[in-house]
Amino acid sequence: MSEAPQEALNMIRLAERRIFSPSFKPLYDDGMRLVEEAAEYLDGPGRADAKRLNRLAATLYAAESMRLTTRLMQIASWLLLQRAANSGEMTRDQVAAEKAKVRLDTASVREDAIGWPELPEAFRALVERSLSLQSLVRRMDDEIYGEGEQTAQNTGRRTNPVSDQITLLKTAFAGG
């Protein structure tokens, strides 16, 4: 056996250690709090804010709020899986199998996109916080489960989360 693979086996994976330790709880709590904040904003003040936007900004707001919701639901799914592993409800292999369904690559428009500055500040802050959390979770995921993410990156395969959900629904209802 060469030394590189042996060194990889002996490496201390800090992200994995964090997931399986009490220090995971603050990350979990922060992620779930962000999900709640976004839902409250989009359901309340966000609706009123969106009505005051010009047509271009309103279209951007609608598209970006869908991306925000998708991103946060994927992050929440990942966090719930890690919590299940941490509490012993699922094995690491079970989590890895379920985690394959979770997408941690929901993009966002660039801050220099036309209409972005017209979006409500509170909304832009939620988007930025969600992107930051997604980046952290993605790095941790890559460190813990790296091989699956690297395979997707190496093949250059990018899928559409909406298309993936439609495929899952078609599969579910095909038998009925």
Side-chain angles (χ1 to χ4, degrees):
M1 183 177 253
S2 70
E3 288 190 35
Q6 185 60 37
E7 287 175 12
L9 291 174
N10 293 333
M11 259 181 16
I12 295 173
R13 293 181 166 209
L14 296 178
E16 190 166 9
R17 251 200 177 159
R18 181 175 184 190
I19 294 299
F20 291 102
S21 75
S23 68
F24 174 70
K25 186 166 175 25
L27 174 65
Y28 177 85
D29 291 344
D30 289 346
M32 293 307 181
R33 189 173 19 258
L34 182 56
V35 169
E36 287 177 26
E37 285 178 40
E40 287 172 9
Y41 174 79
L42 292 172
D43 244 6
R47 286 182 193 257
D49 290 347
K51 289 178 182 177
R52 290 190 289 270
L53 297 172
N54 65 43
R55 190 173 187 171
L56 175 68
T59 302
L60 180 59
Y61 178 90
E64 198 60 32
S65 64
M66 290 294 290
R67 289 183 191 110
L68 172 64
T69 302
T70 300
R71 182 180 311 112
L72 289 174
M73 289 302 98
Q74 295 297 310
I75 291 169
S77 295
W78 189 89
L79 290 169
L80 286 165
L81 284 170
Q82 304 317 310
R83 186 180 75 169
N86 193 348
S87 67
E89 295 171 33
M90 295 176 79
T91 67
R92 182 173 181 221
D93 289 340
Q94 289 171 320
V95 169
E98 288 299 311
K99 188 217 67 80
K101 301 172 190 172
V102 176
R103 305 285 310 195
L104 296 172
D105 61 355
T106 305
S108 184
V109 297
R110 295 170 37 128
E111 290 180 10
D112 61 355
I114 297 171
W116 181 260
E118 287 83 38
L119 297 179
E121 178 60 36
F123 179 73
R124 287 183 289 155
L126 286 168
V127 170
E128 290 166 12
R129 287 173 56 205
S130 75
L131 288 167
S132 178
L133 180 59
Q134 178 181 254
S135 179
L136 171 63
V137 165
R138 193 173 187 178
R139 283 190 311 270
M140 293 177 79
D141 185 76
D142 285 347
E143 186 176 324
I144 297 167
Y145 307 100
E147 61 279 349
E149 292 296 319
Q150 290 171 350
T151 301
Q153 290 170 358
N154 291 343
T155 61
R157 182 175 170 265
R158 289 191 51 96
T159 61
N160 179 330
V162 174
S163 176
D164 291 347
Q165 290 300 313
I166 291 170
T167 302
L168 287 172
L169 288 170
K170 285 179 182 175
T171 303
F173 290 107

